[in-house]
Amino acid sequence: MNHAQREDAAETAELVADVLARIQFELEDIARRIDRNQAAIARSTWDVGAADAAYVQAMQDADLSAQRIAGVADFLRAIGDAAHPQWRIDTSAATGALKLTELARSIGQTGSSVQAKDEAAAGEVDLF
């Protein structure tokens, strides 16, 4: 990295604790969505699916996924709380790597203008 690149990175660097807080919030939101969706699916399908071991396993996996994601969010919160208040990081490259526009806006670099992404490049939504 040359001197000009280091200066640009220094100007766009954010507090590590702030970056971790954004990621933590996003993970908590994902965990809540999984829980909410799992409950909606169970209300609609439990009577038919409860006798199917694979169905029950899938429902348990969804619950465990939500718990694990919430656990990672808690872990990031603890790291953010322990981070030195002056630690900074330039997240512009990481923000550019995000394929979903809304995700780039929620966890990406603060103050960056996020252009609409080609959402199809992130993969198709599977409807069953």
Side-chain angles (χ1 to χ4, degrees):
M1 185 181 288
N2 65 37
H3 181 70
Q5 289 172 321
R6 279 194 300 272
E7 285 181 1
D8 288 345
E11 289 178 16
T12 59
E14 304 176 76
L15 292 175
V16 168
D18 292 347
V19 173
L20 293 174
R22 289 194 311 266
I23 297 167
Q24 174 242 323
F25 179 81
E26 183 67 23
L27 290 172
E28 288 174 342
D29 184 57
I30 292 167
R32 281 189 298 272
R33 287 173 186 242
I34 291 171
D35 279 339
R36 187 175 56 247
N37 291 336
Q38 179 196 22
I41 292 166
R43 278 191 307 274
S44 299
T45 62
W46 187 257
D47 290 340
V48 174
D52 181 356
Y55 170 88
V56 173
Q57 181 64 47
M59 295 301 281
Q60 290 173 334
D61 283 349
D63 184 54
L64 180 58
S65 293
Q67 290 177 41
R68 290 180 72 173
I69 291 167
V72 172
D74 290 341
F75 180 79
L76 290 175
R77 179 184 305 113
I79 290 174
D81 290 346
H84 190 282
Q86 300 306 315
W87 285 352
R88 300 180 79 78
I89 189 166
D90 179 4
T91 61
S92 58
T95 299
L98 294 169
K99 293 185 180 0
L100 298 174
T101 302
E102 191 56 38
L103 188 60
R105 287 184 178 132
S106 69
I107 68 170
Q109 184 178 32
T110 298
S112 69
S113 105
V114 176
Q115 301 300 318
K117 307 255 183 187
D118 179 8
E119 303 289 330
E124 297 295 321
V125 175
D126 294 327
L127 299 176
F128 302 97

